[in-house]
Amino acid sequence: MYDMVSFDIMLLGLAKPGEAGRSRYANAMARLTGKPQLDFRNPSPSFDEPLFSALDQGTAQMVARTLGEAGALIEVRRSTAVARTNSDQLAPTDTCPACGFVQPAGGNECGKCGLIFSKFEREQVQQMQQDRGLEDALSKAIKARDEWYQRAHHYLETHPLAVDATTGLGEPVAAGELPFLRLNSDEGPILLTSRRIIASHKGNTLSIPYEMVEDVNFGGGLVAKKSKVRMQLVFRAPLAAVEGSAKSLTWLLDKESSFFKDVVMDWAFARNFMCGACGARDLDFRLEGSNNRCRCMHCATDHQIDLREALAIPTSVQ
Ligand SMILES: [Zn+2]
Ligand SMILES: [Zn+2]
């Protein structure tokens, strides 16, 4: 179907008819038409002769806005003429994506706000890549979460958890997180959930994603009581949540709890964060200030680690 509607633009006058007003108008007209400003220094308002005629809607809006901003009083009229190509009336223009300024096409820089177009495009592309990386990383992480939830659920079918299993823990279990094993130690209770280890340690409560565990050691060291078994968790980087930022922590498990050491190892060794940009699992972990971070060894994408959510979230794409 042909779009029969088009628009004429009439110039009725200038909001400020002085020298400054005329030169703003001339500047805008020069940008729109590609002709010299001199041609427009003496505007001739007219109710009959359109400044531009038979513009399509988008072009009419662009022209009306540009002239309006330049202080021109204009009227836009519907015309029944078929919208025509604008090449005889208007020069090709670019509209600045940041400030909306209309200017001759092909420049590198916005004439009003100074935005560098090529840089803007580059940054836009990077932002899009980053958003996509983030989206993929999150959807993968959420899919993995489902799988681990199912695994915990399966474990519970043969090893039911006591209703008071979360007693004594200083941190609530999150929605969508399934606790499946409680261990008791001299340092406090330890809860394994589908997402992380929630562990008391001498009055602190730590949230330890399995992905942050580099190694698990049982036995060794001096254990005063025969009935206790030493469990050491070694982290990939000192944990932000730990006072004094320890690279490893030790618990003395009671006899009953020590029977489950295979479960702790199974879960800790099965999981690794994935790079949100390239999918590699080759990440270099560190503690920076009060945040745990990791950098992909393949693509150099940096990630912030949320210990409670057990997520590594990409923060920059190189
Ligand atoms: Zn601009
Ligand atoms: Zn990567």
Side-chain angles (χ1 to χ4, degrees):
M1 197 188 94
Y2 285 99
D3 184 1
M4 296 300 287
V5 180
S6 66
F7 299 89
D8 294 343
I9 292 179
M10 329 296 289
L11 177 69
L12 307 184
L14 298 181
K16 287 179 182 156
E19 175 62 33
R22 286 207 301 279
S23 86
R24 277 179 74 203
Y25 168 79
N27 178 285
M29 284 298 285
R31 279 184 277 125
L32 289 168
T33 62
K35 294 176 186 164
Q37 291 196 28
L38 215 58
D39 294 4
F40 307 103
R41 279 288 157 80
N42 297 301
S44 45
S46 167
F47 289 92
D48 312 313
E49 278 295 303
L51 207 51
F52 300 101
S53 62
L55 302 178
D56 64 66
Q57 186 173 352
T59 306
Q61 283 171 341
M62 182 274 288
V63 169
R65 188 169 52 79
T66 302
L67 290 176
E69 282 169 2
L73 303 172
I74 55 163
E75 187 176 292
V76 180
R77 284 188 200 161
R78 257 169 192 269
S79 156
T80 49
V82 177
R84 57 191 174 100
T85 55
N86 303 313
S87 54
D88 59 334
Q89 310 181 75
L90 290 162
T93 52
D94 283 335
T95 302
C96 173
C99 73
F101 189 62
V102 172
Q103 52 210 294
N108 293 322
E109 192 177 339
C110 173
K112 187 175 182 186
C113 73
L115 180 82
I116 308 294
F117 291 144
S118 55
K119 182 165 174 280
F120 180 81
E121 277 168 27
R122 210 162 52 237
E123 284 168 0
Q124 285 288 96
V125 169
Q126 281 176 354
Q127 185 63 44
M128 275 162 52
Q129 284 173 341
Q130 186 171 334
D131 290 349
R132 184 159 326 133
L134 185 64
E135 217 169 272
D136 285 355
L138 282 175
S139 73
K140 277 181 194 144
I142 283 159
K143 188 164 171 284
R145 246 179 208 194
D146 277 353
E147 289 165 13
W148 291 106
Y149 188 97
Q150 291 308 322
R151 184 167 163 177
H153 195 267
H154 187 68
Y155 184 87
L156 285 169
E157 285 170 5
T158 46
H159 308 78
L161 191 64
V163 281
D164 60 351
T166 59
T167 304
L169 279 165
E171 165 122 5
V173 173
E177 178 180 24
L178 187 62
F180 66 92
L181 178 64
R182 177 190 170 109
L183 306 174
N184 293 300
S185 78
D186 284 3
E187 289 74 15
I190 300 164
L191 191 70
L192 275 71
T193 81
S194 57
R195 193 176 297 177
R196 57 184 168 154
I197 300 169
I198 303 174
S200 305
H201 194 272
K202 297 175 179 171
N204 296 316
T205 303
L206 312 173
S207 179
I208 309 167
Y210 297 103
E211 290 87 346
M212 287 303 289
V213 178
E214 186 171 61
D215 209 353
V216 187
N217 298 307
F218 285 95
L222 272 177
V223 179
K225 288 176 262 177
K226 275 275 185 224
S227 62
K228 301 284 176 178
V229 173
R230 187 171 165 274
M231 177 179 79
Q232 182 195 40
L233 297 182
V234 182
F235 310 119
R236 296 188 184 278
L239 280 194
V242 179
E243 210 170 326
S245 56
K247 179 75 163 64
S248 70
L249 286 173
T250 301
W251 289 262
L252 286 181
L253 300 180
D254 64 20
K255 191 96 181 168
E256 171 83 4
S257 298
S258 72
F259 296 145
F260 295 95
K261 63 184 180 189
D262 287 348
V263 180
V264 178
M265 288 194 281
D266 275 358
W267 279 73
F269 295 156
R271 295 169 71 153
N272 246 320
F273 283 129
M274 184 192 278
C275 170
C278 77
R281 293 183 188 274
D282 198 3
L283 299 166
D284 187 35
F285 292 80
R286 68 189 191 279
L287 176 65
E288 197 176 290
S290 57
N291 291 309
N292 278 113
R293 306 183 71 94
C294 60
R295 185 178 294 277
C296 175
M297 301 301 277
H298 281 256
C299 72
T301 297
D302 206 27
H303 300 69
Q304 176 138 10
I305 296 168
D306 187 323
L307 294 177
R308 283 206 167 88
E309 290 288 329
L311 287 175
I313 299 159
T315 54
S316 70
V317 172
Q318 304 294 310

